[in-house]
Structure formats: structure tokens, C-alpha cells
Amino acid sequence: MAREQTEVRELQEGNYVMINDTPSVITAYSTSKPGKHGSAKARVEGQGVFDGGQKRNFTNPVDAKVWVPIITRKQGQVVSTSSGEMQVMDLETYETFTMRVPDDLDVSADDEIEFLEYEDQRKVV
Amino acid sequence: MSQFPGANAAPDDAEYAVVGAPLDVSTTFQPGTRFGPDRIRRFARTFDDYDRRTNSFFTDHSVHDAGDLHAWDDAGEYLDFLEADLREWHDDDVTPLLVGGEHTVSVAGVRAADPDVFLTVDAHLDLRTEYDGNELSHATATRHALDVADEAVIVGARTGSPEEYERAAETDVTVVPPEDVAEWTPDLDGEVYLSVDIDGADPAFAPGTGTTEPFGLTSREMRDVVRSVAPHCLAFDTVEVNDRDDGQAAALAGKLLREFVFTHAAEPSA
């Protein structure tokens, strides 16, 4: 599994974190003070990286363990496109895979793209 | 901590959520807003569940009491945490009912709700940029709200500094002085955040507040403002109740919160 463990207190806005088993980017991070009868908590708000930005959040003690997905930014080359899908070659490993062409992207064969990858999920940057 | 009477709904079934925010760090005269949420819950115990006007029961309006969000002395940090908490309710289509605490907590409420209009019932303009060097003082609430909302309407305002009146003269601020409130009807453009600072009421009706200001509104005038504005609202708060009376301020705040719910539930987003 391409992920590592950290404590909630180590997180900050812009980091990746798993929320409900979904790789998410942190959009807001705020902490509470414990008072006499509680523990300091952090409220983490995030948006899914690969699911169109679905909002998720959690509140946990700052010393709780969380998983951080290791998301890599990679270069690819478009091999071919057809009916809303494209064949892309990873320029590092030379493996090819199929991706849906995002609505806001106009690509043709030989174009180079940047994408984020986590396990078998990918998203064009 | 007791529960707000009749706020029996489970979080997952809630349409409304009472959130206590007992912030009490910038009160400038009589402190005690840290006891506001407790007092308001306590003095709401005597109210009937049934509301004749709307022919409905408070317990049927799916109000959840989320308890208090423990406050500490760093107002900026606290407002961030409170804002995130309130945003979570908004994301679940639940209308927050924020119970202060000093008026500063409204800043978090407004940031979470992102309204077009900030409408506050208040004796004070609260348009200062800072008070005693503090940019997050209770006397700055309306100015901070204007960073989010396009316009502010201040109902019942009767005091402020020359600089505040200068700011209030600009086109994005409307001041309705106490003598005009009875005849006032709202003309609101967009979604509204309603903030009831209990000192908008005359001190005869609500002595338990930090900075009492005579020549204020009657409790019935306060009620009518809440009724007329509630259908347009994204969120509600009532603030600045402290423990320095026999429960008058808390009873009025709790009753206005209930009026908000009864009216809003009967005609949501008019």
C-alpha cells in the first residue's frame, strides 16, 4: 500500500490524507484547545483527489494516527484518443493505460500531460 | 450541561442544530458571556412545546443540541475551529442555531454560512476596525461580517463612534434606529444571516448583557424582526447573554431562537 502513517497534528492545508479510505487534499485545518476535561482536537476538511472533489471531513484528537496516501506526480504521453478516452504512456515506466479525457482538456496523440497517480487511480493535472 | 428544551433530534435527523459557543475574552464591561449558552438552555425550560401561531410543536422541528464547543482564550484560533464545525452542519443542509458567547462568535457563523446579507439586531454598530487594539473584539463583529456579506442591516442601533457612523453611511450598510423598527419591513436581496445581539433590546427587557444601552427595542419588536427575517435565513445566532440578571436576557434569547425555528420551519427560504 502506497501510504504512510502520521499523527493528525502533523497535517496542514494542502497535504494529502485519507478520509473515509479516500485520498483527499486538505482544504481546511483547525485545532481546539483541550480545556480541563478534554483532549486537543483537530478538525480536518478535505476534498477527494480522484472523485471530482467530494467534500469529506473528520475530527480527531491531535495525537491520533492517520494514513497519508503517497500520491505521485508523473509525466505521460498521449498515444491515441478515441470516444472520450485516451491511451497514455507513463514516460517513466513506459507502461500504457487508458484514461477518460477530462471535459476541460483538449488532447491529441503525442501530447505530453502531467497526472497524479495513487495505486490504480489517476487524474490529469 | 443540560440540553436546549425540546432539541431532542439525533444529529443524523436534524434540520436545526443548537451550537453553544461560550466565548468570553473581549467583553469590555460586564463579563459573563461564557455562561450564555447554559443560561439560555436553562431559562427556556418553562416554554410550552406548542406554538399557537404556527400550530406546530418545537419537538417536531428536528432540532438537535450539539452542546457547547469549548472556548479558549485565542479568539482567532477559536473562530477557525467554530467556523469549521458550523460549516459541517451547513454541508449536511442543517441550519445552525449558534448561541453565544460574545458577539465575536458571529464572525465564525457568517464565514461558515457565506450569506449575501448580514442582518443584526444590535444596540451598537459594531463597525470598529479594532477595540483596545483587538481586531477580534465583540465591537468589530459587523465589520468582519462585511468581509463576507455584500451588505449589513443593523436593526435597533443607537450608539457608535464617529468613524462607525461614517462607515454606516456607505451604501452597503443600512441602520434602522429603534424608533423606526416597529414600522420597518425587510427589503432583503439574497440569503440572510440573522444575528441577534440581546443588547438590541432595552436593558429593561434584557439586563443580563455586557454593555447595556437604554432607549432600546421592546421584546415584541425583537420578536417581529425575527419573524419577518427568518424565512430568508441560512443561519441564526443569539449572542451577548451573560449571567448578571434573573434570567430575563436568557429567556428572551431562548424565546427568539424558538420563534426563529417556528417561523423558518413554516416558510423556509421564502
Side-chain angles (χ1 to χ4, degrees):
Chain A
M1 292 294 270
R3 53 183 201 171
E4 58 188 6
Q5 211 172 35
T6 185
E7 288 190 348
V8 171
R9 75 173 88 240
E10 303 295 333
L11 300 170
Q12 50 184 298
E13 280 173 38
N15 287 173
Y16 296 123
V17 68
M18 296 300 275
I19 308 182
N20 304 342
D21 290 333
T22 308
S24 305
V25 62
I26 297 172
T27 54
Y29 177 90
S30 53
T31 51
S32 75
K33 290 284 186 297
K36 273 187 177 172
H37 307 293
S39 64
K41 289 192 175 69
R43 185 180 295 276
V44 178
E45 297 172 79
Q47 292 188 317
V49 179
F50 301 105
D51 62 2
Q54 279 248 324
K55 286 185 183 175
R56 293 182 183 81
N57 55 60
F58 66 85
T59 304
N60 268 341
V62 290
D63 56 359
K65 298 273 195 289
V66 283
W67 287 106
V68 174
I70 297 170
I71 296 174
T72 47
R73 181 181 282 251
K74 303 181 93 169
Q75 306 287 326
Q77 188 174 41
V78 179
V79 179
S80 64
T81 62
S82 77
S83 58
E85 294 203 322
M86 56 184 175
Q87 285 275 322
V88 178
M89 181 174 69
D90 184 323
L91 289 175
E92 202 177 323
T93 63
Y94 301 118
E95 66 176 307
T96 57
F97 50 86
T98 305
M99 282 176 89
R100 213 175 45 76
V101 181
D103 296 337
D104 54 355
L105 194 71
D106 184 20
V107 289
S108 48
D110 295 331
D111 284 357
E112 289 199 5
I113 58 166
E114 270 197 326
F115 61 95
L116 299 175
E117 184 178 78
Y118 175 71
E119 293 179 345
D120 54 357
Q121 302 181 86
R122 297 182 185 90
K123 183 191 166 199
V124 178
V125 180
Chain B
M1 187 212 76
S2 60
Q3 175 188 283
F4 190 89
N8 304 333
D12 292 343
D13 305 329
E15 298 284 337
Y16 301 91
V18 174
V19 178
L23 186 69
D24 190 4
V25 293
S26 82
T27 41
T28 41
F29 182 54
Q30 299 195 103
T33 52
R34 66 192 59 194
F35 304 112
D38 280 348
R39 295 275 287 186
I40 288 168
R41 289 182 179 103
R42 179 176 164 199
F43 285 95
R45 283 185 208 159
T46 57
F47 301 142
D48 279 311
D49 192 23
Y50 178 63
D51 179 59
R52 182 72 191 138
R53 184 178 59 100
T54 56
N55 189 29
S56 67
F57 292 89
F58 190 76
T59 46
D60 287 341
H61 290 312
S62 306
V63 184
H64 166 69
D65 190 338
D68 289 356
L69 211 62
H70 166 77
W72 62 98
D73 60 359
D74 186 326
E77 271 186 12
Y78 181 66
L79 293 180
D80 285 347
F81 195 72
L82 177 59
E83 176 191 346
D85 184 87
L86 296 169
R87 196 162 40 233
E88 206 172 318
W89 292 112
H90 282 292
D91 286 346
D92 292 338
D93 292 324
V94 177
T95 303
L97 309 168
L98 177 63
V99 177
E102 59 176 74
H103 208 165
T104 318
V105 301
S106 300
V107 177
V110 173
R111 287 174 180 168
D114 195 18
D116 302 302
V117 181
F118 176 71
L119 191 143
T120 182
V121 181
D122 198 338
H124 310 87
L125 293 172
D126 281 359
L127 285 166
R128 295 171 196 265
T129 46
E130 49 90 21
Y131 190 89
D132 285 348
N134 178 3
E135 289 179 7
L136 284 174
S137 153
H138 66 96
T140 66
T142 303
R143 183 172 282 264
H144 284 291
L146 280 164
D147 293 338
V148 178
D150 299 330
E151 57 171 314
V153 182
I154 312 168
V155 177
R158 48 197 182 269
T159 185
S161 67
E163 295 76 19
E164 287 180 282
Y165 275 104
E166 206 171 296
R167 180 66 185 86
E170 291 179 33
T171 52
D172 57 350
V173 180
T174 306
V175 178
V176 184
E179 52 275 22
D180 296 349
V181 171
E183 299 300 314
W184 174 78
T185 47
D187 175 18
L188 302 164
D189 201 5
E191 293 176 309
V192 181
Y193 183 98
L194 172 57
S195 175
V196 176
D197 182 332
I198 210 67
D199 71 24
D202 192 272
F205 296 95
T209 190
T211 45
T212 46
E213 189 69 33
F215 314 144
L217 304 182
T218 67
S219 43
R220 277 203 293 265
E221 285 170 337
M222 303 267 281
R223 177 200 69 186
D224 292 348
V225 171
V226 170
R227 283 182 185 175
S228 64
V229 175
H232 309 277
C233 285
L234 292 167
F236 169 89
D237 73 45
T238 181
V239 296
E240 292 287 340
V241 169
N242 68 20
D243 60 333
R244 291 168 176 255
D245 67 4
D246 295 321
Q248 299 94 313
L252 177 56
K255 193 73 182 171
L256 292 172
L257 182 151
R258 289 166 50 97
E259 284 294 323
F260 175 86
V261 170
F262 283 126
T263 311
H264 187 268
E267 345 166 37
S269 52

